[in-house]
Amino acid sequence: SSFPKRFDGREARHATAERASVMSKKKLGAPEDIFDVPGNKECADCGAAGPTWASWNLGILICEKCCGMHRGLGTHISKVKSTRMDKWDNDQFLVPVRNIGNLVSNGYYEYSVPPGSKYVAGVKSAAGDKIDNVEAKKLERWIRAKYEAKKYAQPGVDPPHVRLARGESLRDPKKATEEKPPEEKSPSKKDKEKKEKHGKGETS
């Protein structure tokens, strides 16, 4: 009499495992809305169309060749995921990519790029194209200068992913410095003290 129960239990476990397998296959790949974030139709670093990788902690989409360069930076700077082959079932990955995007990120990391210093591919490339060693070295120097040395980053402002983690709004990164002073309002305290002193002077 106990045999059917054990059999039913095994069947239930098998069915659950099958469902989990189907669900896990469905979850592969990033949600389509991340490609609608401003700037995300092209690689953040080389401009190749249709990027298929992400540096999720930086909140940007990149192509396969730039992904290789980002891996070389180390995970303390850039953490990469495929937008097609990896699971994107965690807000840890999705929140930065949805809230930062290539346009905002480049507004910070490419803030003061001099004319002619930005990496430009020799030929208009697509995301899956290979590049030769000379181009690869140029691209690596560009990416290291941009993210590792922060050579062109906006001065006096934290990177977008740091500001996002603090709960700050990431509108136009170039306006970040203009938006901060009104928040501090330290001069207004001095103004109040001055008014109080003047007020006391009038009464005495």
Side-chain angles (χ1 to χ4, degrees), residues 23 35 70 120 171:
M23 288 298 289
F35 298 100
H70 274 256
V120 179
R171 280 170 241 143

Side-chain angles (χ1 to χ4, degrees), residues 27-37 61 82-84 86-90 93-94 97-98:
K27 284 180 185 173
L28 288 180
E32 290 298 314
D33 66 279
I34 69 167
F35 298 100
D36 296 327
V37 177
L61 296 191
S82 169
T83 61
R84 291 177 177 171
D86 291 329
K87 287 185 183 179
W88 286 72
D89 54 357
N90 192 315
F93 313 132
L94 289 168
V97 178
R98 279 177 171 153

Side-chain angles (χ1 to χ4, degrees), residues 172-192:
D172 182 355
K174 291 181 182 179
K175 290 180 184 172
T177 46
E178 294 167 17
E179 288 174 0
K180 275 191 175 180
E183 285 176 21
E184 288 174 13
K185 296 258 181 181
S186 51
S188 65
K189 287 180 184 176
K190 288 176 184 175
D191 290 343
K192 281 180 185 175

Side-chain angles (χ1 to χ4, degrees), residues 15-198:
T16 303
E18 271 197 338
R19 278 198 300 273
S21 173
V22 169
M23 288 298 289
S24 68
K25 283 175 186 171
K26 282 182 183 175
K27 284 180 185 173
L28 288 180
E32 290 298 314
D33 66 279
I34 69 167
F35 298 100
D36 296 327
V37 177
N40 284 9
K41 302 283 189 199
E42 296 181 340
C43 173
D45 295 326
C46 75
T52 55
W53 288 81
S55 171
W56 62 263
N57 65 310
L58 295 178
I60 58 173
L61 296 191
I62 51 178
C63 69
E64 189 175 354
K65 57 182 179 279
C66 289
C67 172
M69 306 301 175
H70 274 256
R71 286 187 196 279
L73 295 173
T75 54
H76 63 293
I77 296 175
S78 183
K79 299 174 184 178
V80 298
K81 281 178 81 70
S82 169
T83 61
R84 291 177 177 171
M85 299 175 286
D86 291 329
K87 287 185 183 179
W88 286 72
D89 54 357
N90 192 315
D91 281 348
Q92 181 187 22
F93 313 132
L94 289 168
V95 169
V97 178
R98 279 177 171 153
N99 287 279
I100 300 174
N102 294 358
L103 189 67
V104 168
S105 178
N106 284 346
Y108 171 78
Y109 285 104
E110 297 182 7
Y111 183 78
S112 60
V113 178
S117 295
K118 181 170 175 153
Y119 175 83
V120 179
V123 182
K124 183 70 177 172
S125 62
D129 291 351
K130 303 274 185 192
I131 54 172
D132 62 31
N133 287 339
V134 174
E135 281 293 303
K137 283 176 183 173
K138 276 170 61 181
L139 181 57
E140 184 183 7
R141 279 197 299 271
W142 163 245
I143 287 174
R144 285 195 179 276
K146 188 173 169 181
Y147 300 104
E148 191 174 56
K150 293 184 187 172
K151 190 174 178 180
Y152 313 112
Q154 185 177 1
V157 179
D158 287 325
H161 66 282
V162 174
R163 286 165 28 223
L164 180 68
R166 283 203 300 256
E168 290 182 28
S169 171
L170 299 176
R171 280 170 241 143
D172 182 355
K174 291 181 182 179
K175 290 180 184 172
T177 46
E178 294 167 17
E179 288 174 0
K180 275 191 175 180
E183 285 176 21
E184 288 174 13
K185 296 258 181 181
S186 51
S188 65
K189 287 180 184 176
K190 288 176 184 175
D191 290 343
K192 281 180 185 175
E193 285 171 12
K194 281 179 187 175
K195 281 178 186 176
E196 282 172 11
K197 282 178 185 175
H198 284 305

Side-chain angles (χ1 to χ4, degrees), residues 7-21:
F7 181 74
D8 289 346
R10 253 183 274 137
E11 283 233 318
R13 281 197 297 275
H14 181 69
T16 303
E18 271 197 338
R19 278 198 300 273
S21 173

